[in-house]
Amino acid sequence: MHYGGFNPPVYNLSNIPHDLPLFLSYGGQDALSDLRDVARLLDSLKLHDVGKLTVQHIENYAHADFIMGLNAKD
């Protein structure tokens, strides 16, 4: 209802300054964040400054494991 449709509007990721530090973390067992969607997101950030974009993939992590996993603090 908030957006006037079933889906929110697409956010133009090119609005993010290319020199803004970004950290993206995703897991291979995440049922909410599909690997294809992560690939699309990373592709849309391909013009971001390489030294300012950090990507972490943890194969055996699911969505909540990044905050509730037994070894999340590590």
Side-chain angles (χ1 to χ4, degrees):
M1 286 176 46
H2 179 78
Y3 297 109
F6 289 108
N7 299 308
V10 175
Y11 183 79
N12 184 355
L13 294 174
S14 66
N15 289 338
I16 298 173
H18 293 226
D19 61 345
L20 179 76
L22 292 177
F23 178 79
L24 300 173
S25 191
Y26 66 103
Q29 305 302 314
D30 192 335
L32 299 176
S33 185
D34 186 89
L35 293 178
R36 292 172 298 198
D37 291 337
V38 173
R40 274 182 49 201
L41 172 61
L42 292 173
D43 186 57
S44 68
L45 294 171
K46 64 185 170 207
L47 297 178
H48 204 80
D49 291 354
V50 175
K52 298 290 184 173
L53 177 61
T54 302
V55 179
Q56 176 189 44
H57 175 256
I58 301 177
E59 181 56 40
N60 61 340
Y61 260 36
H63 198 76
D65 290 334
F66 289 96
I67 25 176
M68 297 184 344
L70 294 176
N71 63 343
K73 67 181 182 338
D74 298 332

